Amino acid sequence: MRILVVNPNTTASMTERIGACAQAATSAGTTVRAVNPDMGPASIESHYDEALAVPGLLSEIARGEADGVDGYVVACFGDPGLDAARELATGPVVGIAEAAMRTATYLGRGFSVVTTLGRTCGRAWDLAERYGVQRFCRAVRACEIPVLDLDDPGSDAREVITEECRRAVAEDGSDAIVLGCAGMADLCTHISARIGVPVVDGVTAATRTVESLVVLGLRTGARGEFAAPRPKSYTGLLRDFTIA
Amino acid sequence: MRILVVNPNTTASMTERIGACAQAATSAGTTVRAVNPDMGPASIESHYDEALAVPGLLSEIARGEADGVDGYVVACFGDPGLDAARELATGPVVGIAEAAMRTATYLGRGFSVVTTLGRTCGRAWDLAERYGVQRFCRAVRACEIPVLDLDDPGSDAREVITEECRRAVAEDGSDAIVLGCAGMADLCTHISARIGVPVVDGVTAATRTVESLVVLGLRTGARGEFAAPRPKSYTGLLRDFTIA
Amino acid sequence: MRILVVNPNTTASMTERIGACAQAATSAGTTVRAVNPDMGPASIESHYDEALAVPGLLSEIARGEADGVDGYVVACFGDPGLDAARELATGPVVGIAEAAMRTATYLGRGFSVVTTLGRTCGRAWDLAERYGVQRFCRAVRACEIPVLDLDDPGSDAREVITEECRRAVAEDGSDAIVLGCAGMADLCTHISARIGVPVVDGVTAATRTVESLVVLGLRTGARGEFAAPRPKSYTGLLRDFTIA
Amino acid sequence: MRILVVNPNTTASMTERIGACAQAATSAGTTVRAVNPDMGPASIESHYDEALAVPGLLSEIARGEADGVDGYVVACFGDPGLDAARELATGPVVGIAEAAMRTATYLGRGFSVVTTLGRTCGRAWDLAERYGVQRFCRAVRACEIPVLDLDDPGSDAREVITEECRRAVAEDGSDAIVLGCAGMADLCTHISARIGVPVVDGVTAATRTVESLVVLGLRTGARGEFAAPRPKSYTGLLRDFTIA
Amino acid sequence: MRILVVNPNTTASMTERIGACAQAATSAGTTVRAVNPDMGPASIESHYDEALAVPGLLSEIARGEADGVDGYVVACFGDPGLDAARELATGPVVGIAEAAMRTATYLGRGFSVVTTLGRTCGRAWDLAERYGVQRFCRAVRACEIPVLDLDDPGSDAREVITEECRRAVAEDGSDAIVLGCAGMADLCTHISARIGVPVVDGVTAATRTVESLVVLGLRTGARGEFAAPRPKSYTGLLRDFTIA
Amino acid sequence: MRILVVNPNTTASMTERIGACAQAATSAGTTVRAVNPDMGPASIESHYDEALAVPGLLSEIARGEADGVDGYVVACFGDPGLDAARELATGPVVGIAEAAMRTATYLGRGFSVVTTLGRTCGRAWDLAERYGVQRFCRAVRACEIPVLDLDDPGSDAREVITEECRRAVAEDGSDAIVLGCAGMADLCTHISARIGVPVVDGVTAATRTVESLVVLGLRTGARGEFAAPRPKSYTGLLRDFTIA
């Protein structure tokens, strides 16, 4: 089985870390390839960034289809372009926010999301509501760490995030923590060991979910809303997105 | 006051009709300009189309900001890119789905949405939930008319839509109808006269809403989630979206 | 166009201030008349007051109908008698709570209501739920200022309210403030200038909404629940409310 | 114990039937008195009627307070003036819609409301939502019978209502029926015997609920929203409602 | 009328106290018998305890049916086995959590639950949601008192609980308190007298509710989900639960 | 890794089929053992059956703990005893209803559940609400097939169920089907091939979910509600459930 993990921002070092975490979570016989687009924002920290990460993401999905990939992970906690990706892909597509939040619901009554910048918390609540996990989500907490700081070995991001996770357990009474950024994937074990409650990372959760869906022969139902997009002419800068 | 109405698809004839309806709805002293991007899909009929309409939309908003526009209408019933547009714009930004559905709530207990293709109904429900009007929305009904047929004078779209609106009143017990596509703006009076219940078009509703917000001195609260996007490097095809 | 703004309490000085704010918010060609009933409570600060303000309100609506008024504003934040008024009136009727809260939803993810007495907060939550804006309403905060103090130039109401609005922004993380009393209409600009987030007053918001509905040819759907009341004999003190 | 059942319309024959049903449902030692106001509508069939029934209802509550009544039933399925009555009364006040709908929740997973005119169904849904029983309420069905027909021995109302209840069981899969009008109280046994599922009448359910609250020493919590109304001057037609 | 109150734990002294409170709340002519199973946990303080209290509870219900009991109370605040008991019993079955929480909704806008151990709070929220009273339930507060301490005259449980109730009123702004354990039934008057807001005990509330349902001729609707269990062979330890 | 799949009814032939399906869904290195209790009902078709299946289920979980099992599946679509099992088990415990319904949310906007007897539909709705998937669940449909008929090679159950699934797609517009009984696990491929939309079986979905949780190092958060049950004396028939 071949799973394509798409990091929708353009920062290759983050893509590499994400890919390593995803591969480590798979079973024998599954190959993970992690890619990022060559167009779009270096990191995703606003609705503007998120919207503009989608064309690159869809390009990578289209390329994956040409390659016969079995399933996809969208590796940004805003789950950008998920519905559009499901129209394009034959196999299943899973976002890391949906996988992380749904996985956490198996672990107790409530979880807290710990994320990067405060301005992204609203989007996490949007997704919690959309995925039906709002009743499990006790808080969305920001560390006010820019995304690319997670990629900087010299930053104190790891400590700051661990501390916020600890506070989440104490103050929210949560049974589990959800890490709110793909760039935190490699911190999961570190934090879990220190705070003593389960910590869910979306990259590994989504990769396992895609793998399971493929094993079970399940893919997006494609007879209605998620059928392949109708043939359509695209013009200008985006002309290559034309559906013949 | 200057209002920019952005049709996020690239079909100029539709833009023209939309612009005429919007202008007709304004008060003395308000100038409407209707534009469409030069990149993206000819019509929006899938999540894929919708996602890829956003870069063009945001370009037009950015251009509007440079021109000192007072407020914006996003003239596609999926309200694509609305959150991102609010980060970019100084003045208010209103989507036609949100304006139409909220306007309809003033007219009775329940409304029905009548739209184009069945595959877009899911998105209308998403928006109804997000805007908190789900309790007023009794049904989303599709006519299975492709968007560009609305632009074809020879099609029977007007009759088909009127008939579906009539069924909505009879079967859903709705007090009002919401037209689910910007391309239906000029049918509003025709249908209303025939079915005897109020019919809300989003283009005019949103234009009036923007005008009112500007008169009242109200614009998006910009201290948190909707602050201007952080400076960020964009690469490749989308390099012009870089925020300096 | 003629809009009737009904202040449902009997305090004429408040009516006058409300009328001035409403008129100032309209476009050229719109005339606002503000009235208050000659029966009922001097101010509305309980469910009892609110219920007993409704007969006077309905009298004024009936008089407006005889005068051929185009649309109505109910200028008390409890939106008393709104459903009944919609049955009586040919044109649209808008309450200031519904208009203010819905208007605030265009301005960001969340708003706080700042109102007079704590005992009225429950009613504001009722309305937020009924109008579907509960997911946008982060808090309802009381200043413990009696309504008529707003009419007293010597009181420190303006400062107390401004301060509570400031706290709402800081503590609730709200993107906008909704003023929870018609008597605060003339404080809107003052407060907004001081706290740096948009402040919505219901009187002006509702007046603009009525004006827009009239321009768009929209009125309450009157084929079912909101049809004119059936002919009915009324007796005793209320005999003049008989529907012939 | 003395319970006052207030029929908020002015039709004395209906009051009498209501009183007899209520008295029959009480335990030894409880006296029911049923009254109706001498002002207001002959029957309640619109929001207008409902709003204008409230002053008369509140007069009767005030009179009951002077008489030392222990608790009150508001005997109209729209539960008019309930919040205001709770401010006035020392003892508990229960509406027949709230009592009927809550009582029905003990009898299975879902109930259907069968009521008089279709135009009142919206109000029943409002109340279901407000009382938190919406998840139990499968349908609100109208028989299109004017309220006063229930008082006419020659009408076929009993058969029509029984038939609608039967359809509710078959089509809604409901475990119980709630009768949606005080005037149906004396039909309860008749219908139940014919359709073979439990049928709940609000007048008896509310009377039993008031009796239980009084026995248990429970009354409305009066430290906040439901404290006695503040002293307030009332003028004009309603001057007698002044709170000294 | 004969009401059987089943305490689902095996602690006879608690059963006795519960029975006395229940009997005291009934009207003339009603006999309460309180029993507890001879199998299962000494107290119910976890999901494990709750699940294993159900067989004993169902045995007692079956015995009650053989005895011709008119209605049942399940006297544990987790309402264990309520749905199953309703399938077995001919007459109504009421849980103390559902009765207490629904009763409290008649007393104001919001209540707080005060219970024993923090680990049981989740179950109280589950029930609040299931019964539709979540919008009235402002908080579930634990005193961290083991259930059997309530049975120990030497403990300071009474003072600790009273204090927590007082805090609930002050901090949650609740209009009423719901006691979250059958073992607190006899504290109800004591606490109410000290904190000045209504305090609802589920044992007495449920007993009154059963009594009312029986008087009104209402029992569980038994044509669908709550029909008698299908004949079924049971084996092993539980063979006596076979339905012939 | 060792996963224990507990069929909570006592029918060994069903257990065997369930075990085979579960094993087939796992990755290399995972061993599934399927067991059923030696006490309790032969099949689970009512709330009574479900409640009485729990002691046997908990015995098997306790035995699994003694054996050092890594994770558990509860293989009945009512998810009986799930919360209690989570208190007992060190590793993760997943119910087949929760796994099936959550898995289906990855496959489109809406799913239909197709189950055995109509009287169990209510429980499926309970679980949909509890797991937050109610917004994805369009219908719960019963085939009126007793559970043990699924175990009878001569029955026409397979055809009846396939037909109901086909109707669900056509009438509910669902993107996916969820099979509502563990006994249907081996029909999944057959049905999916015939109706052309994804069909989710809970046994395999839950087994994959447990396997993923174990791989990711995730287990139930055990610091609060789901801590091990407190030591407690159990008596009578259930004395062996005592927690020392």
Side-chain angles (χ1 to χ4, degrees):
Chain A
M1 181 190 322
R2 291 158 60 216
I3 297 177
L4 186 66
V5 175
V6 186
N7 168 18
N9 75 32
T10 58
T11 301
S13 53
M14 186 175 293
T15 307
E16 203 174 321
R17 282 192 295 122
I18 288 171
C21 291
Q23 181 67 66
T26 57
S27 301
T30 299
T31 308
V32 167
R33 200 158 69 87
V35 297
N36 60 257
D38 58 4
M39 66 173 102
S43 64
I44 300 178
E45 300 175 318
S46 63
H47 296 296
Y48 178 84
D49 292 342
E50 194 182 301
L52 290 165
V54 176
L57 167 80
L58 295 178
S59 282
E60 298 302 325
I61 302 279
R63 208 165 297 167
E65 285 300 288
D67 287 359
V69 161
D70 293 294
Y72 302 85
V73 169
V74 177
C76 166
F77 203 79
D79 289 356
L82 189 57
D83 286 337
R86 283 183 175 146
E87 292 174 333
L88 272 193
T90 313
V93 186
V94 173
I96 66 168
E98 70 174 341
M101 295 200 276
R102 285 195 181 121
T103 295
T105 63
Y106 292 106
L107 306 176
R109 181 169 297 275
F111 62 79
S112 300
V113 175
V114 174
T115 189
T116 54
L117 298 181
R119 65 182 296 161
T120 70
C121 292
R123 182 69 174 137
W125 280 115
D126 276 347
L127 295 178
E129 185 171 358
R130 178 142 178 209
Y131 300 144
V133 299
Q134 203 175 8
R135 62 199 301 285
F136 296 90
C137 183
R138 299 207 166 157
V140 179
R141 293 164 160 267
C143 300
E144 300 305 348
I145 294 175
V147 170
L148 294 185
D149 279 21
L150 298 171
D151 227 44
D152 169 5
S155 93
D156 63 348
R158 200 165 74 164
E159 284 66 43
V160 172
I161 296 166
T162 304
E163 211 39 55
E164 192 67 31
C165 291
R166 207 188 301 276
R167 267 196 296 275
V169 173
E171 295 172 11
D172 310 338
S174 287
D175 298 306
I177 298 294
V178 166
L179 298 179
C181 180
M184 297 178 182
D186 53 354
L187 306 182
C188 193
T189 317
H190 175 87
I191 299 173
S192 179
R194 266 147 200 83
I195 67 172
V197 305
V199 179
V200 183
D201 153 57
V203 173
T204 50
T207 303
R208 289 295 309 185
T209 301
V210 169
E211 193 179 48
S212 288
L213 293 173
V214 173
V215 165
L216 298 174
L218 297 170
R219 49 182 63 175
T220 310
R223 292 164 54 127
E225 181 175 347
F226 296 101
R230 293 161 54 93
K232 181 82 42 85
S233 168
Y234 276 70
T235 51
L237 206 63
L238 299 174
R239 82 188 70 88
D240 289 351
F241 289 90
T242 292
I243 303 277
Chain B
M1 180 191 322
R2 291 158 62 217
I3 297 178
L4 186 67
V5 175
V6 186
N7 169 17
N9 75 33
T10 58
T11 300
S13 54
M14 185 175 293
T15 307
E16 204 172 321
R17 283 192 297 123
I18 289 171
C21 291
Q23 180 68 67
T26 56
S27 302
T30 299
T31 308
V32 166
R33 200 160 66 88
V35 298
N36 59 256
D38 58 4
M39 67 173 102
S43 64
I44 299 178
E45 301 176 319
S46 63
H47 296 296
Y48 178 84
D49 292 342
E50 193 181 302
L52 291 165
V54 175
L57 167 81
L58 295 178
S59 282
E60 298 302 326
I61 302 279
R63 208 164 301 166
E65 284 300 289
D67 286 0
V69 160
D70 294 294
Y72 302 85
V73 170
V74 177
C76 165
F77 203 79
D79 289 356
L82 190 57
D83 286 337
R86 283 186 173 141
E87 292 174 334
L88 272 194
T90 313
V93 186
V94 172
I96 67 167
E98 68 174 343
M101 295 200 277
R102 285 196 182 120
T103 295
T105 63
Y106 291 106
L107 306 176
R109 181 169 298 274
F111 62 79
S112 300
V113 176
V114 174
T115 188
T116 54
L117 298 181
R119 64 181 300 161
T120 69
C121 293
R123 181 72 173 134
W125 281 115
D126 276 346
L127 295 178
E129 185 170 359
R130 180 142 176 208
Y131 300 144
V133 299
Q134 203 176 9
R135 62 199 300 286
F136 297 90
C137 184
R138 297 205 168 159
V140 180
R141 291 163 161 267
C143 300
E144 300 304 349
I145 293 175
V147 170
L148 294 185
D149 279 20
L150 298 170
D151 227 43
D152 170 5
S155 94
D156 63 348
R158 201 165 72 164
E159 285 67 42
V160 172
I161 296 166
T162 303
E163 212 37 57
E164 192 67 32
C165 291
R166 208 188 299 278
R167 267 197 296 277
V169 173
E171 296 172 9
D172 310 338
S174 287
D175 298 306
I177 298 293
V178 166
L179 297 178
C181 179
M184 298 178 182
D186 53 355
L187 306 180
C188 193
T189 317
H190 175 87
I191 299 172
S192 180
R194 268 148 199 82
I195 67 171
V197 305
V199 179
V200 183
D201 152 58
V203 173
T204 48
T207 304
R208 289 292 313 182
T209 302
V210 168
E211 193 180 47
S212 288
L213 293 173
V214 173
V215 166
L216 298 174
L218 296 170
R219 48 181 63 176
T220 311
R223 292 165 53 128
E225 181 176 349
F226 296 99
R230 293 160 53 93
K232 180 84 41 92
S233 168
Y234 277 69
T235 51
L237 205 63
L238 299 173
R239 82 187 69 88
D240 289 352
F241 289 90
T242 292
I243 303 277
Chain C
M1 181 192 321
R2 291 158 62 216
I3 297 177
L4 186 67
V5 176
V6 186
N7 169 17
N9 75 33
T10 58
T11 300
S13 54
M14 185 175 295
T15 308
E16 203 174 322
R17 281 192 297 122
I18 288 171
C21 291
Q23 180 68 67
T26 55
S27 302
T30 299
T31 308
V32 167
R33 199 160 67 88
V35 298
N36 59 257
D38 58 4
M39 66 173 103
S43 63
I44 300 178
E45 301 175 319
S46 63
H47 297 294
Y48 179 84
D49 292 342
E50 193 182 301
L52 291 165
V54 175
L57 166 80
L58 295 178
S59 282
E60 297 303 324
I61 302 279
R63 207 165 299 166
E65 284 299 289
D67 287 0
V69 161
D70 294 293
Y72 301 86
V73 170
V74 177
C76 165
F77 203 79
D79 289 355
L82 189 57
D83 285 337
R86 284 185 172 143
E87 291 174 332
L88 271 193
T90 313
V93 187
V94 173
I96 67 168
E98 69 173 341
M101 295 201 276
R102 285 196 181 121
T103 294
T105 64
Y106 291 106
L107 306 176
R109 180 169 299 274
F111 62 79
S112 300
V113 175
V114 174
T115 188
T116 54
L117 297 180
R119 66 182 297 161
T120 70
C121 292
R123 182 70 174 136
W125 280 115
D126 277 346
L127 295 178
E129 184 170 359
R130 180 143 176 209
Y131 300 145
V133 299
Q134 203 176 8
R135 60 198 301 285
F136 297 89
C137 184
R138 298 207 167 156
V140 179
R141 291 164 162 268
C143 300
E144 300 304 350
I145 294 175
V147 170
L148 294 185
D149 279 20
L150 299 170
D151 228 43
D152 170 4
S155 94
D156 63 349
R158 200 165 75 164
E159 284 66 42
V160 171
I161 296 166
T162 304
E163 210 39 56
E164 192 66 32
C165 291
R166 207 189 299 278
R167 266 196 295 276
V169 173
E171 295 172 10
D172 310 339
S174 287
D175 298 305
I177 298 294
V178 165
L179 297 179
C181 179
M184 298 178 182
D186 54 354
L187 306 181
C188 193
T189 317
H190 174 87
I191 299 172
S192 179
R194 269 149 199 81
I195 67 171
V197 305
V199 179
V200 183
D201 152 58
V203 173
T204 49
T207 303
R208 289 292 312 182
T209 300
V210 169
E211 192 181 47
S212 288
L213 293 173
V214 172
V215 165
L216 298 174
L218 297 170
R219 48 181 64 174
T220 311
R223 292 165 52 127
E225 180 175 349
F226 296 100
R230 293 160 53 92
K232 181 84 39 90
S233 168
Y234 277 70
T235 51
L237 205 63
L238 299 174
R239 81 188 70 88
D240 289 351
F241 289 89
T242 293
I243 303 276
Chain D
M1 181 191 325
R2 291 160 61 218
I3 297 178
L4 186 66
V5 175
V6 186
N7 169 18
N9 75 32
T10 58
T11 301
S13 54
M14 186 175 294
T15 308
E16 204 173 319
R17 283 191 297 120
I18 288 170
C21 291
Q23 180 67 67
T26 55
S27 302
T30 300
T31 308
V32 167
R33 200 159 67 88
V35 298
N36 59 258
D38 58 5
M39 66 173 103
S43 64
I44 300 179
E45 301 175 320
S46 63
H47 296 296
Y48 178 84
D49 291 342
E50 193 181 303
L52 291 165
V54 175
L57 167 81
L58 295 179
S59 282
E60 297 303 325
I61 301 280
R63 207 165 299 166
E65 285 300 289
D67 287 0
V69 161
D70 293 294
Y72 302 85
V73 170
V74 177
C76 166
F77 203 79
D79 289 356
L82 189 58
D83 285 337
R86 283 185 173 143
E87 292 174 333
L88 272 194
T90 313
V93 186
V94 173
I96 67 168
E98 69 173 342
M101 295 200 276
R102 286 195 180 122
T103 295
T105 64
Y106 291 106
L107 306 176
R109 181 170 297 275
F111 62 79
S112 300
V113 175
V114 175
T115 188
T116 53
L117 298 181
R119 66 181 297 162
T120 70
C121 292
R123 182 71 173 135
W125 281 114
D126 276 348
L127 295 178
E129 185 171 357
R130 179 143 176 207
Y131 300 144
V133 299
Q134 202 177 7
R135 61 199 301 286
F136 296 90
C137 184
R138 297 205 168 160
V140 179
R141 291 163 161 267
C143 301
E144 300 304 349
I145 294 174
V147 169
L148 294 185
D149 279 19
L150 298 171
D151 227 43
D152 169 4
S155 94
D156 63 348
R158 200 165 73 163
E159 285 67 41
V160 172
I161 296 167
T162 304
E163 211 40 54
E164 191 67 31
C165 291
R166 207 188 300 277
R167 267 197 295 278
V169 173
E171 296 172 9
D172 309 338
S174 287
D175 298 305
I177 298 294
V178 166
L179 297 178
C181 179
M184 298 178 181
D186 54 354
L187 307 180
C188 194
T189 317
H190 175 87
I191 299 174
S192 180
R194 268 147 199 83
I195 66 170
V197 306
V199 179
V200 183
D201 153 58
V203 173
T204 49
T207 303
R208 289 293 313 183
T209 301
V210 169
E211 193 180 48
S212 287
L213 293 173
V214 173
V215 166
L216 299 174
L218 296 170
R219 49 181 61 176
T220 310
R223 294 165 52 126
E225 181 176 348
F226 296 100
R230 293 160 53 93
K232 180 83 41 89
S233 168
Y234 276 69
T235 51
L237 205 64
L238 299 173
R239 82 189 68 87
D240 289 352
F241 289 90
T242 293
I243 302 278
Chain E
M1 180 189 324
R2 292 159 59 217
I3 297 177
L4 186 67
V5 175
V6 186
N7 169 18
N9 75 33
T10 58
T11 300
S13 54
M14 186 175 293
T15 307
E16 203 173 321
R17 281 191 296 122
I18 288 171
C21 291
Q23 181 67 68
T26 56
S27 301
T30 299
T31 309
V32 166
R33 198 159 69 87
V35 298
N36 60 256
D38 58 4
M39 65 172 104
S43 64
I44 299 179
E45 300 175 318
S46 63
H47 296 294
Y48 179 84
D49 292 341
E50 193 181 301
L52 290 165
V54 175
L57 166 81
L58 295 178
S59 281
E60 297 303 325
I61 302 279
R63 207 165 299 166
E65 284 300 288
D67 286 0
V69 161
D70 293 294
Y72 301 86
V73 169
V74 177
C76 165
F77 203 79
D79 288 355
L82 189 57
D83 285 337
R86 283 184 174 144
E87 291 174 332
L88 271 193
T90 313
V93 187
V94 173
I96 66 168
E98 69 174 343
M101 295 200 276
R102 286 196 180 120
T103 295
T105 64
Y106 291 106
L107 306 176
R109 181 169 298 275
F111 62 79
S112 301
V113 175
V114 175
T115 188
T116 54
L117 297 181
R119 64 181 299 161
T120 70
C121 291
R123 182 73 174 136
W125 281 114
D126 277 346
L127 295 178
E129 185 171 358
R130 180 144 176 206
Y131 300 145
V133 299
Q134 203 177 8
R135 63 199 299 285
F136 297 90
C137 184
R138 299 207 166 156
V140 180
R141 292 164 161 268
C143 300
E144 301 304 350
I145 294 175
V147 170
L148 295 185
D149 279 21
L150 298 171
D151 228 43
D152 169 5
S155 94
D156 63 348
R158 202 165 73 163
E159 284 67 42
V160 171
I161 296 167
T162 304
E163 211 38 57
E164 191 67 31
C165 292
R166 206 188 302 276
R167 266 196 296 276
V169 173
E171 296 172 10
D172 310 338
S174 287
D175 298 305
I177 299 294
V178 166
L179 297 178
C181 179
M184 298 178 181
D186 54 354
L187 307 181
C188 192
T189 317
H190 174 87
I191 299 172
S192 179
R194 269 149 198 81
I195 67 172
V197 304
V199 179
V200 183
D201 153 58
V203 172
T204 50
T207 303
R208 289 294 310 183
T209 301
V210 168
E211 192 180 47
S212 287
L213 293 173
V214 172
V215 165
L216 298 174
L218 297 169
R219 49 181 63 174
T220 311
R223 292 165 53 126
E225 181 176 349
F226 296 100
R230 294 160 53 92
K232 181 81 43 87
S233 168
Y234 276 69
T235 52
L237 205 63
L238 299 173
R239 82 188 68 89
D240 290 351
F241 288 90
T242 292
I243 303 277
Chain F
M1 180 192 321
R2 291 158 61 216
I3 297 177
L4 187 67
V5 175
V6 186
N7 168 18
N9 75 34
T10 58
T11 301
S13 54
M14 186 175 294
T15 307
E16 204 174 320
R17 281 193 297 122
I18 288 171
C21 291
Q23 180 67 66
T26 56
S27 303
T30 299
T31 307
V32 166
R33 200 159 67 88
V35 298
N36 60 258
D38 59 4
M39 65 173 102
S43 64
I44 300 178
E45 300 175 318
S46 63
H47 296 295
Y48 179 84
D49 292 342
E50 193 181 303
L52 290 165
V54 175
L57 167 81
L58 295 178
S59 282
E60 298 302 326
I61 301 281
R63 207 165 299 166
E65 285 300 288
D67 286 359
V69 161
D70 294 293
Y72 302 85
V73 170
V74 177
C76 165
F77 202 80
D79 289 355
L82 189 58
D83 285 338
R86 283 186 172 141
E87 291 175 334
L88 271 193
T90 314
V93 186
V94 173
I96 67 167
E98 68 173 343
M101 294 201 276
R102 284 192 182 125
T103 295
T105 63
Y106 291 106
L107 306 176
R109 181 170 298 273
F111 62 78
S112 300
V113 175
V114 174
T115 188
T116 54
L117 298 181
R119 66 182 297 161
T120 69
C121 292
R123 182 70 174 133
W125 281 115
D126 276 348
L127 294 179
E129 185 170 358
R130 178 142 177 209
Y131 300 145
V133 299
Q134 204 176 6
R135 62 198 301 285
F136 297 90
C137 185
R138 298 205 167 158
V140 180
R141 291 164 161 267
C143 300
E144 299 305 348
I145 293 174
V147 170
L148 294 185
D149 279 20
L150 298 171
D151 227 43
D152 170 4
S155 94
D156 63 349
R158 201 165 72 162
E159 284 67 42
V160 171
I161 296 166
T162 304
E163 212 38 56
E164 192 67 31
C165 291
R166 207 187 301 278
R167 268 196 295 277
V169 173
E171 296 172 10
D172 309 339
S174 287
D175 298 306
I177 299 294
V178 166
L179 298 178
C181 179
M184 297 178 182
D186 54 355
L187 306 181
C188 193
T189 317
H190 174 87
I191 299 172
S192 179
R194 269 149 198 79
I195 66 169
V197 305
V199 179
V200 183
D201 153 58
V203 173
T204 49
T207 303
R208 288 293 312 183
T209 301
V210 169
E211 192 180 47
S212 288
L213 293 173
V214 172
V215 165
L216 298 175
L218 297 170
R219 49 181 63 175
T220 310
R223 293 165 52 127
E225 181 175 348
F226 296 100
R230 294 161 53 94
K232 181 83 41 89
S233 168
Y234 277 69
T235 51
L237 206 62
L238 299 173
R239 82 189 69 87
D240 289 352
F241 289 89
T242 293
I243 302 278

